[in-house]
Amino acid sequence: MVALQGTTKIDAIIASIFELKKKDPDIVSSFTDALSIVDGNFGISNCLGSKEKFFQLVKEFEKVAGEALLKERLDFETLENSGVLKTKGSRILSAKHIKLRTKLYFKQHKFNLLREETEGFAKLITDVSENENHSIQEKLQALGSLIGCFNLDPNRVLDLILEAFEMHPELHSTNFIPLIKSFMPDSRVLSEIMGFKFSSFHESDDVAPSSLFVIVVLLLEHKLIKLEDIYSWLSPDEAALSEYADEEMQKAKKVLCKMNKLSMKEGEEGEEPLLTLEDTFYGSNQKLGLLEAALVVGSWSVACALLNKVSTDWVMSFSPICNAALNFVHASIEPIYRIHSALPERLTGKQFKRPLVLSPPPATTFDQLKTCAFPLLKMIGPYGFKDPILLQKTIRLSKAILQEELPSGRKHVEPPSDTNSIYYDVLEIIEEYVLPSLAMLESPCAFSEEIWGLMKLLPYNIRFGRYSAWKNNISHPLLIHRKAEQFKKVKRYAKIINKDNVKYMGRVLGKLSHSSPGLLFDYVIYQAQVFELITPVVDSLKFLTSLSQDILVYCLIEALAADKDPFSEDGKSIGRWLKAVTAMVAQIFAKYKSIEIEPMLHFVKNQLKAKKSVFLLVLKEIVQKMSGVEQGDEISTVQLEAMAGGELLRSEAAGFFNQQRNPRKTAQRLKDALVESKLIVPLCSLIAQQLKITVYRETLHVEAKLVQALYDQCVDTFTQFGNFLVTVLSPEEYKNTIPSLEELCEEYGLDLGSASFLYRPVISYSINSTWESTMKANKNFRSMSQSEKDDLYLSITTDIMTPVKQQIQARLPSKVLDEFSPQFLATFWTLSYSDLYVPTGSYSRERERAKKAASDVLHSSDMTEAKRKKESDRLNSLADRLDAEGVKQKEHVERVMARLNHEKQSWFDYGSLNKYKTETVVNILSQCVIPRSLLSEADAAYCAKLLELIHLMKTPNFASLICFDRLFCDITHTINSCSEYECRRFGRFLFMSLQTVMRWHGDKAVYERECVSYPGFVTKFRAGSQSGSDSSSHIDFENYRHVCHKWHHKIFKAILLGIESKMYVAVRNSLIILKSILDQFPVQYPFYVNLEKKVEDLKNREKGKRDDLFTLSQSYLGQLKLRKPFMIREEAFHYKPKVVPKAVPTTDVVTNGHQSPITKKEQEAPALSGTNGKEVTIKKEVKDSKKSDRRDEKDKSTKTEAPKEKRPKGEKGEEGEILPSGPGEGGDQKSSKRRHVLKPSKEGAESPRLKKSKPSQHDDDYEEGMIEEKEEKKRERKREREVEDGGESKRKKDAEGKSSRKTGTTNGADSERRSEKKESRDYDGEKRGHSKSRKSGDKSR
C-alpha cells in the first residue's frame, strides 16, 4: 500500500523482500496472497492507489517469486497488464481454467445407483453384514477393493453401512461402530447423512422407523456424532412442543377451576376426558422418538441430555417413552434389589430380563441409585402407576435405605446434616414418585400399607411436609384430572353420610381414601363443620389404612391451623367450626387406637407458644375423650364428697372415668404419647403461663364474655391435665417427671398456686412412701403407741417439707411473711381435700351398692353360671377393697390432723397485736383461700374445710369470726371479678362456709360445744392471752344468731346489687351464686319474697335480649319456688325484741347486745393485763363505722317503715368486735345490735376481690319484704301490740321462736296455705297496720 500510494520506492520494497526471503522463504507466498487480495479489491475501493504502480510492482516481484507462483495466485488479466504474460497466452490459460472447473464441478460421469452396480453393492452388503472375526483393517481393505473395483460412490457406501447397522444394532460394538469410526471419522458428515434421512421422512409425512433412532443413539453414545448436530435436523421445532404442553396444561386448569365450584351441576361434571394424547403427534415427533430409543437402548447419558431439553411434565404421558423409562429403572436397580428386598429368595420373583442393547449402569450400592435410577423415577412421577412392580421395589429399597440410617432404639430417622445424603433423595422419591403414583392407582390398599411401612420411619413433620406437597401443590396435568375425577366421587358419597348408613359408607370412604385421602378428608371435615355430623363421620372412618389415618391427622391439623377466625361472628364465644373440628379430633383419637397422637400434641404446644390459648380446647377434649378425666363445671355434692376419698372411690363414684369402653387403654395411649414426645412438662408450663396472659392479651380485641370463657378454659384444662397425669402416671413416674417447686417457679415462670398444684402429688407421695417404708423397716412399729407414731410421722413430714418451706419463703415478700409463717403457706398449698376429710358416707354408699349388685348378679338369668360367679366375685372384691381403702384413708387423715395440731402453734405467732386480726384475715383470704378456691370445686371444698378445721383446732391468733365476717360481708367485688366457672367454684366455697356457720346457728348445744371458749370467737383481744377463757370476751349464742342474720343481709344486698346491675357479668355471676347457695340462702321469708320479685323482673327484662340470662333466671326461679315451704320467719332465725320508741340519749353509748348501754369508760376499761402490766385494746375504726352508719341512716331516712332509733353521735365500736346488725340489717332496735367494723390493710394487702361494696338502696327491698311478712303474720303482731309489758312480749316471742325452729320445716307448707287463705280477708286490716307502722316510725325519728 505504501508503494502504490507513492510514499516508498518499489525497488526498496523488492530489496526488503529479498532480505526477508533469506530468513523466511514463506514470506514470498504471503506477499503473493496480499497482491491477490489487492488485485481483487481495486474495483471496490478507490483508496488503493494507482493501478500502473501496482502492475509495475507485480512485474518487479516476478524476479523474486517466479512466473509459476504468480500464474497460480493472480488473475490472468493482471498478469497480462503487468507484462508477465503475453496477450495470447493469457486467453489460452483462461479458457483451459474454465473447462477444468466445469469438468470438476458440473460434469457427472455416472450415477452409480444400486440398479446399475448390483454386483458391487451386493458384495458390499454381504461383507458388511457378516459377523466374522475379521479385523477392522481387513474390512476396510475389502471395502476399498469393492469401491475401486466397481467404482462405487463412497457416500453411498457409508449409507449402506448405516442401513446394515439398522438391521443389526446388536453388532454395534464388534462390527459397525469401529468400522464407521475408521471409514468416516468426520462427525459432521455422519450428522448430515442421518439428518437427511430424518428430513426425508418429515417431508413425506412418514414416521421414521425406530431402528433409525436406535443407530443415532448408538452413534451418540460412542461419540461418533454430536447431539447438537443431529438435534437441529429433527422435527418438530421447540415452539410446537411448548404449544402442545401449554394446551394440555390449560385443559387441566379448566377442569380444576370447574372442580372448585361447589355449586357445580351434575350435568356439567365429566365433560373433560382424563387427558387424551394424540398418537399422530407422538408418531411425527422425531425428538420424542429419539428419547424413546435412548431409553430402550439403555443410554442414560443420551436420555438425560434429551430429557433436559423437553418438559418432563408431559413427555412421560406417552406410553412408549414411559414404558421404556420404567424398564430402564428395572434394569438399573435389579442387582441391589436382590440384596435388600427383605424377602425370602423364593418370593423375590424372577430376575428382570434386559432386552436392552446397552446395559444401563447397574446399582450395587445405595449411593449408585443416585446416578440414574432415582433421577429417572422423579421424571416418571405419577406415571409410575403403570408398573406396580417397580413401585413396590422402589418402596422397599427406600425403606431399606432409611432402616440402614435408623439409630438403635429410635423409631424415626432424623434428617442428617449432610445435604448430599441419600436420605434427601428418598424424600424426593416419596414426594415426586411414590405418592403421586399411589393417587393414580385404583383401590391400592396393599400399596398404602407398604408405603406406610416406609413413611412411619420418618418424623411426623417430615411426613406432613410430603403430604402437603402431594395434596396442595398439584401442578401435573394428569394429577389435576385425577383430582377432578375423585372429587366427583367424594361429593357423591360424602354428602349422604348419616347414622343409618355408617357401615356401608365406611367401606365406600375406605376405598376412596386409598388413592385420594387428602381430598376426601378435606371434604369430610368441611361437612362436619357445616352440618356438625361428627359421630356418623367418625364412625364411617373405621376402614382406613394406616397411611390414610396419618394423613387424616395432618388434614385435621391443617383444618385447625386454617386462616380463619376461631371465634363466632358476634365475638362472644368460640366458633362453631372450631368446636366441631375439636370434637371430631377427640372422638377420632379415642376411637381408633392406631392413630398417632403426638403430632396433635405438638400442634397444641406450638399454638400455646404463639399465645393462642383458644386451642387449649383441643387438648381439653382429647384428654376428656381418651381418659374420661373431666373438669366438671357443676359436680354434685355426692361426687364432691367422693373426691375426698382414694383412687378407687373416685373412679367408682366421683365420675373421674365415664361410662365408656376401656377408658384406661385409651388413657394409656395418651400417656405413652406424652412420655415418648417429652411433652408433659412443656404443656403444663405453657398452660399455666396462659393463665397469666390470657386476660391481658385477649381483652384488647374480644368481648369480656369471651375473655372469661378463654380464661375458664385455661383453668379447666390446667386442672384437668394435672388430674389426668396423677391418674395415669405411677407415683414414681410422676415424681421423676415433674420438676421441683423451685424450678417450676423460676425456670418455667409459674406462680406459687400453679406450681403447688403440680408439685402437690410429689410431696404427698414422698411422705406416704417414706412412711410406709419406715413402717415396714421398723419391726416394733405395731407395739408403738399412737403418740410415738404421730411423732415419727411428724419427723418424716418435717424432713420433706423443710426444703419446700424454704422455697416458698424465698418467693414471698417479707410483708406477707409478717402476717403468717411460711410453715402455714407450705401446709396450705401442699395439702388437698382428701388429707382433711374422710368421706365415710361415700364409702358406705359405694360398698352397699357393690354388695347389692353382687347379690343381683347371682339371681340374674341373663348370664351363665360361670359369668355370674365371676362378676359376683369381682363386685365382692370391690366392696372389700373399698372397706380397706376407707380404713387406710381414715388413718391417713388422723396422721394429717396430728401434724396440723402440732404445726398450728407456729402458724400465726406474732409479737405484737398491731399486726393481728383484720390484716391477717385479709391476707389469708386474698393470698391463699380465695385464689385456691377458684381453681376447682375440690379446692373450694378444701378451703372451706380448712377454715373450719383451723377454728375447731383452736388455732392461736386466728379470728374465725372475723374471717367469716370479712368473707360474707365483702363478696360484691369478688363476685364481679370472677369468670363464670370461677363464680361456680366460689359459690361452692360460700355454700360450704354457710353450711358451717348455719350449723352453729341451728343448735345452741353445737355452738357452745364448737364455738364458745374457742380463740376464733374471741371479740376482745388482750396481750398475753389468746385462750379465750374469759366468757365476757366471747360472743354469746343469741348475738351470734344476730351476726348470722347480718351476714345473710349482706349477702342479700350484694346479690341484689348484682341483679339490678346493667353489667352482664354482674348479673350472670349473681345468679350463679344464688344457684350455688340455694340450700343455705335464702332461708328467711323476707329475703325469699324480694329475691323472687327481683329475679322475676330480671327474667322479664332479659326476655328476647340476652337469652342466657333469661334461661339462668328462669331456672333459678323454678328451684327457688321449690324452696318456699322451707322459708322461716325472721323471729325464728334470731331473737327480735319488741321495739319501744324512746328518747335518744345525749351521751355517747355503745350497746353490748343485751339492751344495756356501755359507757365509753367501760368500753375503754382494760379487760385483761398483759405480761408487762400494760393493758392492750384493739384500735378503733371510727371512720369506716361512721361512714357506714351515715349511709345506712341516709338511705333509710326517706322510707316509711318500722320505727328506727338513730345511733347516738360519736358512738363507736371496737375493732375486731362482731357487732350485730341494725334495723336495716334485720333488727328492729338499733340499740340492741352492733356493727362489725373491719379495717382494711393500709399497705394494699387486701385483694381487689375483698373490697367493701358501696352502700346501696337495697335496705328498701329488705323493708318491703319485712312488710309482706308482717302482712301475712298480722294476727300475731296484733297480739304483740296488745301486750304492753316488754317482758311478756319477750317471753311470747321466745316461745314463738322455739316453736318456729321446731316446726318451721315440717309445717312450712301448712303455714303458707293458711297465709294464702287469710290474705284476701285481712288485706284492709293489714293495710291499716302498715299505715300505723309508718306513723310510729315518724314519731321515733
Side-chain angles (χ1 to χ4, degrees):
M1 294 295 295
V2 175
L4 297 180
Q5 292 175 357
T7 56
T8 304
K9 292 183 179 181
I10 295 175
D11 296 337
I13 293 174
I14 299 299
S16 300
I17 292 174
F18 268 115
E19 294 297 329
L20 291 173
K21 182 180 179 181
K22 295 178 182 179
K23 298 180 180 179
D24 185 8
D26 294 336
I27 191 64
V28 178
S29 175
S30 299
F31 192 77
T32 305
D33 292 337
L35 291 177
S36 176
I37 294 172
V38 173
D39 184 21
N41 291 332
F42 260 114
I44 300 174
S45 176
N46 295 326
C47 62
L48 297 177
S50 173
K51 280 189 176 183
E52 287 75 10
K53 289 186 178 182
F54 176 73
F55 295 149
Q56 184 180 358
L57 178 61
V58 172
K59 180 64 175 175
E60 294 297 329
F61 184 68
E62 182 184 5
K63 299 177 182 178
V64 180
E67 182 180 355
L69 184 60
L70 293 178
K71 287 180 180 180
E72 179 185 347
R73 306 288 176 88
L74 298 180
D75 187 60
F76 293 127
E77 185 178 355
T78 301
L79 294 174
E80 183 180 357
N81 292 333
S82 61
V84 176
L85 293 177
K86 297 180 180 180
T87 304
K88 186 177 179 180
S90 63
R91 293 176 182 175
I92 295 172
L93 288 175
S94 178
K96 289 182 178 180
H97 183 260
I98 293 172
K99 290 180 181 180
L100 180 60
R101 292 181 61 184
T102 302
K103 182 179 180 180
L104 290 176
Y105 297 108
F106 300 101
K107 188 174 181 180
Q108 187 172 356
H109 299 282
K110 56 184 176 180
F111 290 98
N112 204 5
L113 300 179
L114 291 177
R115 63 178 179 270
E116 297 174 352
E117 298 290 347
T118 56
E119 183 181 357
F121 286 114
K123 290 183 178 293
L124 175 64
I125 293 172
T126 302
D127 290 344
V128 171
S129 300
E130 65 181 4
N131 187 20
E132 295 182 1
N133 295 327
H134 297 292
S135 64
I136 298 301
Q137 294 300 327
E138 293 176 350
K139 291 183 177 181
L140 285 177
Q141 186 176 1
L143 288 178
S145 301
L146 290 174
I147 292 172
C149 180
F150 296 99
N151 197 17
L152 301 178
D153 184 6
N155 293 327
R156 188 58 185 138
V157 171
L158 179 60
D159 183 59
L160 286 176
I161 294 175
L162 294 174
E163 289 185 2
F165 193 5
E166 286 186 51
M167 301 302 297
H168 302 282
E170 66 278 2
L171 302 178
H172 66 282
S173 59
T174 57
N175 285 1
F176 296 104
I177 295 301
L179 180 61
I180 296 173
K181 186 181 295 186
S182 301
F183 184 79
M184 180 54 67
D186 191 347
S187 63
R188 293 179 61 88
V189 174
L190 286 173
S191 300
E192 290 176 356
I193 293 175
M194 300 305 300
F196 179 77
K197 290 177 177 288
F198 286 115
S199 299
S200 62
F201 285 112
H202 176 65
E203 292 174 358
S204 61
D205 294 333
D206 292 334
V207 178
S210 59
S211 58
L212 182 61
F213 294 108
V214 170
I215 65 169
V216 171
V217 170
L218 293 173
L219 292 174
L220 289 169
E221 179 68 22
H222 292 88
K223 295 181 174 52
L224 294 180
I225 59 176
K226 297 180 180 179
L227 181 60
E228 292 78 9
D229 295 338
I230 192 64
Y231 196 76
S232 59
W233 290 89
L234 304 178
S235 62
D237 55 8
E238 296 294 336
L241 295 176
S242 300
E243 182 180 354
Y244 178 80
D246 294 340
E247 181 182 354
E248 296 300 330
M249 181 56 70
Q250 290 301 324
K251 290 180 182 178
K253 290 181 178 180
K254 184 179 179 181
V255 173
L256 185 62
C257 292
K258 186 179 292 186
M259 183 198 70
N260 291 333
K261 297 179 181 179
L262 295 179
S263 61
M264 182 172 55
K265 298 180 181 179
E266 296 294 336
E268 296 178 353
E269 298 180 356
E271 292 182 359
E272 292 291 338
L274 183 68
L275 185 63
T276 58
L277 300 174
E278 300 179 3
D279 295 336
T280 56
F281 177 81
Y282 176 74
S284 60
N285 195 317
Q286 297 174 351
K287 295 178 179 178
L288 297 180
L290 184 61
L291 174 59
E292 178 193 353
L295 295 171
V296 170
V297 168
S299 176
W300 170 243
S301 60
V302 177
C304 186
L306 289 171
L307 287 170
N308 291 330
K309 291 180 176 292
V310 296
S311 175
T312 56
D313 286 343
W314 59 272
V315 71
M316 290 295 173
S317 61
F318 300 101
S319 297
I321 296 179
C322 184
N323 294 334
L326 294 171
N327 291 334
F328 186 95
V329 178
H330 264 299
S332 178
I333 67 174
E334 184 66 22
I336 195 171
Y337 175 73
R338 291 288 165 181
I339 302 173
H340 298 282
S341 64
L343 293 174
E345 185 177 356
R346 61 179 180 174
L347 297 179
T348 54
K350 297 180 179 180
Q351 190 168 1
F352 181 79
K353 296 181 179 180
R354 302 181 182 181
L356 306 176
V357 179
L358 297 175
S359 294
T364 56
T365 63
F366 289 140
D367 287 334
Q368 290 178 351
L369 293 172
K370 299 167 59 177
T371 305
C372 63
F374 280 0
L376 189 53
L377 286 175
K378 298 174 190 176
M379 296 177 185
I380 293 172
Y383 294 99
F385 78 96
K386 295 184 176 182
D387 193 343
I389 296 177
L390 178 61
L391 178 60
Q392 188 82 294
K393 289 182 178 180
T394 306
I395 295 171
R396 290 173 181 171
L397 282 176
S398 301
K399 183 178 178 181
I401 292 172
L402 294 181
Q403 286 177 339
E404 189 177 71
E405 298 188 4
L406 180 66
S408 59
R410 299 289 298 274
K411 295 175 61 177
H412 301 134
V413 182
E414 298 296 334
S417 57
D418 184 10
T419 56
N420 294 324
S421 173
I422 195 173
Y423 176 90
Y424 296 101
D425 293 274
V426 171
L427 297 184
E428 293 179 358
I429 288 297
I430 294 172
E431 180 178 335
E432 300 179 22
Y433 171 70
V434 175
L435 293 178
S437 299
L438 177 67
M440 298 302 302
L441 293 171
E442 294 292 341
S443 299
C445 180
F447 280 99
S448 181
E449 290 298 331
E450 191 76 25
I451 294 174
W452 173 243
L454 168 64
M455 298 297 293
K456 68 180 181 181
L457 298 175
L458 301 171
Y460 81 93
N461 55 333
I462 302 297
R463 298 199 309 266
F464 286 3
R466 310 287 82 75
Y467 300 153
S468 177
W470 179 30
K471 173 176 169 290
N472 301 321
N473 302 331
I474 298 179
S475 59
H476 199 288
L478 181 67
L479 293 177
I480 293 175
H481 283 271
R482 179 66 172 177
K483 182 178 180 180
E485 181 184 6
Q486 291 295 101
F487 185 69
K488 299 171 193 175
K489 298 180 182 179
V490 169
K491 276 184 58 181
R492 184 184 313 123
Y493 293 109
K495 64 184 180 182
I496 61 174
I497 298 176
N498 56 64
K499 62 181 181 180
D500 298 327
N501 61 358
V502 168
K503 191 172 184 180
Y504 167 74
M505 291 307 303
R507 294 191 179 96
V508 174
L509 296 184
K511 292 180 180 179
L512 290 175
S513 69
H514 296 331
S515 57
S516 301
L519 183 64
L520 171 65
F521 298 144
D522 278 352
Y523 193 81
V524 167
I525 294 171
Y526 169 77
Q527 292 286 99
Q529 294 178 35
V530 175
F531 303 107
E532 298 184 359
L533 295 173
I534 298 173
T535 303
V537 169
V538 173
D539 292 341
S540 64
L541 300 177
K542 64 175 67 176
F543 297 105
L544 299 183
T545 61
S546 300
L547 178 64
S548 298
Q549 289 179 344
D550 196 48
I551 298 174
L552 174 61
V553 176
Y554 163 73
C555 292
L556 289 170
I557 293 177
E558 190 179 47
L560 289 170
D563 189 14
K564 295 172 63 177
D565 189 359
F567 307 124
S568 61
E569 294 181 359
D570 58 1
K572 295 182 180 180
S573 61
I574 298 175
R576 288 178 55 192
W577 73 268
L578 181 57
K579 291 181 180 179
V581 177
T582 301
M584 187 176 181
V585 168
Q587 290 191 28
I588 287 173
F589 285 142
K591 188 174 182 65
Y592 303 111
K593 62 181 180 180
S594 59
I595 294 184
E596 189 174 352
I597 312 171
E598 180 183 350
M600 188 63 68
L601 297 176
H602 278 283
F603 168 77
V604 174
K605 182 196 72 172
N606 294 332
Q607 294 300 315
L608 293 180
K609 283 185 177 180
K611 300 179 181 179
K612 296 180 180 180
S613 61
V614 66
F615 290 99
L616 278 174
L617 180 64
V618 179
L619 181 61
K620 180 180 178 182
E621 290 293 329
I622 290 176
V623 173
Q624 178 180 339
K625 290 293 183 182
M626 296 194 67
S627 65
V629 177
E630 295 184 12
Q631 183 60 27
D633 301 333
E634 294 185 39
I635 61 176
S636 65
T637 304
V638 174
Q639 287 178 317
L640 182 61
E641 183 184 9
M643 290 173 67
E647 181 181 355
L648 182 60
L649 179 63
R650 291 199 302 267
S651 63
E652 291 296 324
F656 262 53
F657 284 92
N658 291 332
Q659 298 298 322
Q660 63 184 51
R661 296 182 61 186
N662 299 327
R664 296 185 183 274
K665 292 183 179 179
T666 56
Q668 186 66 28
R669 283 177 47 222
L670 180 57
K671 170 221 169 182
D672 294 341
L674 288 167
V675 172
E676 291 176 4
S677 57
K678 300 179 180 179
L679 288 176
I680 293 179
V681 176
L683 284 177
C684 289
S685 61
L686 286 170
I687 298 171
Q689 291 167 11
Q690 298 301 312
L691 298 175
K692 298 181 179 180
I693 65 175
T694 297
V695 175
Y696 304 102
R697 177 179 174 84
E698 303 292 348
T699 308
L700 300 176
H701 56 276
V702 296
E703 294 284 341
K705 181 179 179 181
L706 179 57
V707 174
Q708 292 189 358
L710 294 175
Y711 181 79
D712 284 337
Q713 181 176 274
C714 290
V715 175
D716 286 352
T717 308
F718 181 65
T719 54
Q720 178 198 37
F721 193 67
N723 292 332
F724 164 73
L725 294 178
V726 173
T727 304
V728 298
L729 292 176
S730 66
E732 190 67 30
E733 289 176 333
Y734 191 93
K735 181 180 179 180
N736 297 332
T737 302
I738 301 299
S740 66
L741 189 65
E742 183 178 6
E743 291 178 359
L744 289 173
C745 294
E746 294 183 1
E747 296 184 12
Y748 294 95
L750 273 64
D751 56 40
L752 183 58
S754 302
S756 300
F757 173 78
L758 295 174
Y759 198 66
R760 193 176 302 134
V762 176
I763 297 176
S764 177
Y765 169 70
S766 300
I767 294 175
N768 294 334
S769 61
T770 306
W771 169 254
E772 291 177 0
S773 60
T774 303
M775 285 194 304
K776 294 178 180 178
N778 193 340
K779 298 180 179 180
N780 300 324
F781 180 80
R782 293 185 177 181
S783 61
M784 294 173 63
S785 64
Q786 186 61 40
S787 60
E788 292 176 339
K789 293 179 180 179
D790 292 342
D791 293 340
L792 178 61
Y793 182 78
L794 184 62
S795 64
I796 293 173
T797 305
T798 304
D799 294 340
I800 296 174
M801 291 299 297
T802 299
V804 178
K805 182 176 66 175
Q806 295 173 353
Q807 294 172 8
I808 292 177
Q809 184 175 3
R811 298 199 57 82
L812 292 177
S814 58
K815 184 180 183 305
V816 176
L817 297 176
D818 290 342
E819 300 294 337
F820 36 80
S821 66
Q823 180 67 51
F824 172 76
L825 288 173
T827 301
F828 176 84
W829 287 112
T830 55
L831 291 181
S832 61
Y833 190 33
S834 60
D835 296 323
L836 306 180
Y837 176 63
V838 181
T840 54
S842 295
Y843 277 111
S844 299
R845 183 168 49 253
E846 293 302 322
R847 182 176 60 252
E848 293 300 325
R849 183 186 302 174
K851 290 183 177 180
K852 184 178 182 303
S855 176
D856 294 341
V857 165
L858 290 176
H859 299 87
S860 175
S861 60
D862 298 336
M863 295 184 289
T864 62
E865 181 66 26
K867 288 185 177 181
R868 285 200 300 268
K869 186 177 184 306
K870 183 178 180 180
E871 183 65 14
S872 177
D873 293 343
R874 186 189 70 83
L875 292 171
N876 288 324
S877 174
L878 175 62
D880 295 339
R881 286 189 295 147
L882 284 170
D883 279 336
E885 187 180 78
V887 173
K888 186 177 180 181
Q889 185 70 12
K890 182 179 179 181
E891 295 174 352
H892 170 71
V893 172
E894 289 175 353
R895 291 194 298 270
V896 173
M897 296 306 299
R899 165 192 166 187
L900 296 181
N901 279 304
H902 179 271
E903 292 180 356
K904 68 181 181 180
Q905 302 296 331
S906 62
W907 282 352
F908 312 107
D909 186 15
Y910 309 107
S912 172
L913 287 178
N914 293 332
K915 299 180 180 179
Y916 179 57
K917 288 174 51 182
T918 305
E919 292 184 7
T920 302
V921 167
V922 168
N923 278 310
I924 290 175
L925 291 176
S926 61
Q927 299 288 338
C928 301
V929 175
I930 299 298
R932 182 164 179 180
S933 66
L934 301 180
L935 191 60
S936 67
E937 296 264 5
D939 288 304
Y942 164 79
C943 292
K945 189 67 178 178
L946 183 64
L947 289 180
E948 180 185 0
L949 288 176
I950 290 176
H951 167 78
L952 295 177
M953 289 189 304
K954 296 185 178 181
T955 304
N957 301 328
F958 182 80
S960 309
L961 200 59
I962 296 178
C963 180
F964 286 119
D965 189 76
R966 291 310 304 263
L967 177 62
F968 297 132
C969 292
D970 300 325
I971 67 171
T972 302
H973 291 284
T974 306
I975 293 175
N976 292 341
S977 62
C978 286
S979 63
E980 181 179 357
Y981 293 170
E982 282 182 331
C983 197
R984 292 174 182 171
R985 296 160 192 150
F986 184 67
R988 172 72 67 177
F989 172 65
L990 281 180
F991 170 76
M992 295 187 67
S993 300
L994 282 171
Q995 215 173 22
T996 300
V997 299
M998 292 306 293
R999 176 166 55 85
W1000 297 332
H1001 170 278
D1003 193 335
K1004 185 175 181 179
V1006 174
Y1007 177 79
E1008 291 178 350
R1009 183 174 63 252
E1010 297 184 359
C1011 298
V1012 176
S1013 300
Y1014 276 66
F1017 271 55
V1018 173
T1019 57
K1020 294 181 181 179
F1021 304 95
R1022 299 174 176 86
S1025 175
Q1026 290 295 334
S1027 62
S1029 58
D1030 188 1
S1031 62
S1032 64
S1033 64
H1034 290 79
I1035 185 172
D1036 60 18
F1037 177 66
E1038 198 57 45
N1039 272 338
Y1040 172 73
R1041 286 162 64 86
H1042 293 327
V1043 171
C1044 289
H1045 181 271
K1046 185 195 74 170
W1047 290 342
H1048 276 243
H1049 183 257
K1050 287 291 186 180
I1051 295 174
F1052 171 76
K1053 290 174 64 176
I1055 293 297
L1056 286 193
L1057 183 66
I1059 289 177
E1060 293 184 345
S1061 173
K1062 295 182 180 179
M1063 296 175 56
Y1064 169 83
V1065 174
V1067 178
R1068 182 201 64 195
N1069 290 357
S1070 299
L1071 291 173
I1072 293 174
I1073 291 292
L1074 283 175
K1075 292 187 67 175
S1076 300
I1077 63 176
L1078 182 61
D1079 290 343
Q1080 298 296 331
F1081 180 87
V1083 295
Q1084 302 178 59
Y1085 193 78
F1087 297 146
Y1088 167 82
V1089 172
N1090 279 279
L1091 278 177
E1092 184 181 27
K1093 179 182 177 182
K1094 293 298 181 182
V1095 176
E1096 185 71 34
D1097 294 341
L1098 172 65
K1099 184 188 75 170
N1100 297 333
R1101 186 176 72 237
E1102 297 298 339
K1103 186 175 182 180
K1105 296 180 181 178
R1106 292 184 284 195
D1107 295 335
D1108 52 346
L1109 294 183
F1110 171 78
T1111 304
L1112 195 60
S1113 58
Q1114 190 175 32
S1115 172
Y1116 175 71
L1117 273 177
Q1119 299 178 34
L1120 180 64
K1121 290 178 180 178
L1122 294 176
R1123 294 282 305 169
K1124 184 176 180 180
F1126 304 101
M1127 297 296 112
I1128 62 176
R1129 295 177 300 153
E1130 182 188 355
E1131 291 85 353
F1133 189 84
H1134 72 132
Y1135 172 67
K1136 233 178 98 174
K1138 177 172 176 63
V1139 178
V1140 181
K1142 58 177 67 177
V1144 179
T1146 57
T1147 59
D1148 294 342
V1149 296
V1150 177
T1151 59
N1152 61 5
H1154 297 280
Q1155 298 155 345
S1156 58
I1158 301 176
T1159 63
K1160 280 190 175 182
K1161 186 175 181 180
E1162 292 174 340
Q1163 179 183 359
E1164 297 175 357
L1168 216 156
S1169 297
T1171 54
N1172 297 329
K1174 297 181 180 180
E1175 298 169 354
V1176 183
T1177 59
I1178 304 301
K1179 289 194 307 180
K1180 303 174 183 178
E1181 282 192 25
V1182 180
K1183 185 176 180 181
D1184 288 345
S1185 177
K1186 285 184 177 181
K1187 286 183 179 180
S1188 179
D1189 290 343
R1190 290 195 197 105
R1191 285 194 294 265
D1192 290 345
E1193 292 167 3
K1194 184 177 179 180
D1195 293 340
K1196 299 167 188 175
S1197 62
T1198 58
K1199 307 296 178 182
T1200 56
E1201 301 166 354
K1204 310 178 191 134
E1205 182 177 353
K1206 186 174 181 181
R1207 192 175 195 139
K1209 183 176 179 181
E1211 183 178 358
K1212 304 175 184 178
E1214 290 184 344
E1215 175 188 317
E1217 291 184 343
I1218 307 301
L1219 305 181
S1221 57
E1225 300 168 346
D1228 291 334
Q1229 189 173 5
K1230 190 168 186 177
S1231 60
S1232 64
K1233 313 281 188 295
R1234 290 187 181 181
R1235 181 180 300 276
H1236 173 43
V1237 181
L1238 294 176
K1239 185 175 182 180
S1241 176
K1242 294 182 179 179
E1243 301 184 12
E1246 185 174 358
S1247 171
R1249 299 185 178 190
L1250 295 173
K1251 293 180 180 178
K1252 292 178 71 69
S1253 60
K1254 296 181 179 179
S1256 66
Q1257 300 295 330
H1258 296 303
D1259 291 327
D1260 305 340
D1261 301 323
Y1262 172 77
E1263 295 298 339
E1264 292 176 5
M1266 291 292 297
I1267 292 172
E1268 294 188 22
E1269 183 187 12
K1270 290 175 183 179
E1271 290 174 351
E1272 290 191 0
K1273 311 301 179 182
K1274 180 172 177 290
R1275 289 185 179 179
E1276 288 78 359
R1277 291 202 306 275
K1278 284 183 178 181
R1279 286 197 297 268
E1280 292 173 7
R1281 294 193 196 99
E1282 293 175 356
V1283 181
E1284 296 179 357
D1285 186 14
E1288 183 178 353
S1289 175
K1290 181 177 180 181
R1291 287 193 299 273
K1292 286 188 177 183
K1293 289 189 177 182
D1294 288 341
E1296 289 171 0
K1298 293 179 180 179
S1299 175
S1300 174
R1301 286 193 297 272
K1302 292 179 181 179
T1303 63
T1305 302
T1306 58
N1307 299 333
D1310 296 337
S1311 176
E1312 290 299 324
R1313 287 193 292 271
R1314 289 195 299 269
S1315 298
E1316 291 173 0
K1317 291 179 181 179
K1318 293 184 292 181
E1319 186 174 357
S1320 60
R1321 183 172 64 247
D1322 297 335
Y1323 177 77
D1324 295 335
E1326 292 168 359
K1327 191 171 183 181
R1328 287 192 298 272
H1330 178 50
S1331 177
K1332 291 180 181 180
S1333 177
R1334 293 176 60 187
K1335 292 179 181 180
S1336 177
D1338 293 340
K1339 288 181 180 181
S1340 176
R1341 285 192 289 274

